[in-house]
């Protein structure tokens, strides 16, 4: 069976004065559908760069990437956007909600206005908001929500189109311990319900390590399976 994600010999370098500085070095990765993956590693090790490449927001300097069976290098910009919109959902550390829109409108935001009025998508948005515990906050504006509640809206938004690949970059990094634990639990429950493969970037190994199927560490641009982790 094809993998959802397949990276072979993937590298990313950036210009640094007169030389190229490697950010990701020879990364190989194969992810199945419906799995959860933690990528941990020190600050500056390339975690966000890897996530951005996986989400088609950035391009590798060398190597190959197949996403959902598609060789990404063969796509033009429009095709990349289309694949991204159909397959990928993002959750960021800082929630990036639109302040003038309600909770429900924020979740429907990837849709254009007319699509947002279609009842099937709206029903799905309401279901997802209920899963993350916000069934009674549809009409609230983000400024009246706590950080944890705002991230729960962002999670519902990311999952609206049932992405096969959910990418989360430090999804609880801006939240205090108890709130981080709650949001982590709701994120994992929502991902499970939708059936996405989740790639979670976090340095919080104690929190995420026990609840994922696989754990990798990224150190100085090199990805390796974490030691001492079952499975
Ligand atoms: P992490 O998310 O693990 O903290 P990043 O992927 O954000 O690491 O960054 C890895 C390294 O690459 C950092 O040193 C960062 O400054 C550098 N970097 C990332 N993107 C660029 C870019 N477009 N141009 C120059 N340097 C970059
Ligand atoms: Mg980062």
């Amino acid at each position: 069976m094809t993998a959802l994600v397949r990276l072979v010999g993937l590298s990313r370098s950036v210009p640094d004065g007169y030389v190229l500085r490697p950010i990701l070095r020879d990364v190989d990765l194969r992810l199945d559908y419906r799995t959860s993956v933690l990528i941990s590693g020190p600050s500056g090790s390339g975690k966000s760069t890897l996530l951005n490449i996986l989400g088609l927001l950035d391009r590798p300097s060398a190597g190959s990437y197949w996403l959902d069976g598609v060789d990404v290098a063969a796509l033009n910009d429009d095709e990349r956007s289309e694949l991204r919109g159909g397959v990928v959902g993002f959750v960021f550390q800082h929630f990036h909600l639109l302040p003038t829109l309600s909770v429900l409108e924020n979740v429907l935001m990837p849709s254009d206005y007319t699509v947002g009025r279609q009842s099937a998508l709206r029903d799905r948005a309401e279901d997802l908001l209920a899963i993350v515990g916000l069934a009674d906050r549809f009409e609230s504006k983000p400024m009246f929500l706590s950080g944890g509640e705002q991230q729960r809206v962002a999670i519902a938004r990311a999952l609206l189109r049932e992405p096969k690949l959910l990418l989360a970059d430090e999804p609880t990094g801006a939240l205090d311990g108890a709130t981080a634990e709650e949001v982590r639990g709701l994120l994992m429950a929502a991902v499970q319900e939708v059936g996405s493969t989740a790639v979670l970037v976090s340095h919080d190994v104690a929190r995420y390590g026990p609840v994922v199927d696989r754990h990798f560490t990224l150190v100085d641009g090199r990805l390796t399976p974490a030691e001492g982790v079952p499975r």
Side-chain angles (χ1 to χ4, degrees):
M1 195 181 136
T2 58
L4 173 61
V5 164
R6 189 155 168 251
L7 304 178
V8 179
L10 186 115
S11 298
R12 175 79 168 97
S13 303
V14 296
D16 186 3
Y18 292 105
V19 297
L20 282 177
R21 188 161 61 90
I23 306 293
L24 297 172
R25 305 167 194 250
D26 201 19
V27 170
D28 295 325
L29 180 65
R30 188 189 162 96
L31 300 179
D32 291 329
Y33 293 84
R34 295 172 184 268
T35 49
S36 57
V37 183
L38 170 64
I39 298 176
S40 61
S43 180
S45 59
K47 303 184 298 297
S48 294
T49 303
L50 178 57
L51 220 59
N52 289 340
I53 289 174
L54 288 173
L56 308 181
L57 297 173
D58 192 6
R59 294 168 192 267
S61 308
S64 303
Y65 177 19
W66 288 266
L67 174 59
D68 202 25
V70 176
D71 179 0
V72 169
L75 304 180
N76 65 31
D77 286 350
D78 287 348
E79 292 165 336
R80 284 170 65 90
S81 299
E82 196 173 317
L83 183 63
R84 184 190 311 123
V87 178
V88 186
F90 292 94
V91 175
F92 301 100
Q93 180 172 359
H94 302 285
F95 328 119
H96 298 306
L97 301 181
L98 291 168
T100 59
L101 299 184
S102 70
V103 162
L104 185 60
E105 287 167 338
N106 264 283
V107 174
L108 287 165
M109 192 46 210
S111 330
D112 59 44
Y113 181 66
T114 49
V115 173
R117 298 163 92 185
Q118 284 176 13
S119 62
L121 212 52
R122 194 189 159 108
D123 288 351
R124 188 69 187 133
E126 294 185 356
D127 288 348
L128 283 163
L129 282 168
I131 289 170
V132 296
L134 293 173
D136 55 349
R137 306 302 297 273
F138 292 168
E139 302 307 325
S140 301
K141 292 281 164 60
M143 68 178 292
F144 298 110
L145 304 180
S146 69
E149 288 168 338
Q150 290 185 48
Q151 191 62 310
R152 284 144 61 186
V153 177
I155 289 165
R157 178 182 58 188
L159 291 170
L160 179 68
R161 291 172 178 279
E162 312 203 330
K164 292 173 182 165
L165 181 62
L166 188 282
L167 302 173
D169 197 347
E170 302 280 4
T172 53
L175 306 174
D176 68 71
T179 306
E181 188 58 22
E182 182 186 24
V183 170
R184 195 270 301 153
L186 291 167
L187 169 63
M188 300 304 281
V191 161
Q192 186 85 29
E193 207 270 340
V194 169
S196 308
T197 284
V199 180
L200 311 162
V201 163
S202 179
H203 56 266
D204 196 346
V205 174
R207 193 179 307 285
Y208 286 91
V211 300
V212 292
D213 297 322
R214 301 172 72 190
H215 177 192
F216 296 89
T217 55
L218 193 56
V219 177
D220 201 18
R222 293 185 195 280
L223 189 74
T224 51
E227 286 172 26
V229 179
R231 291 168 295 188

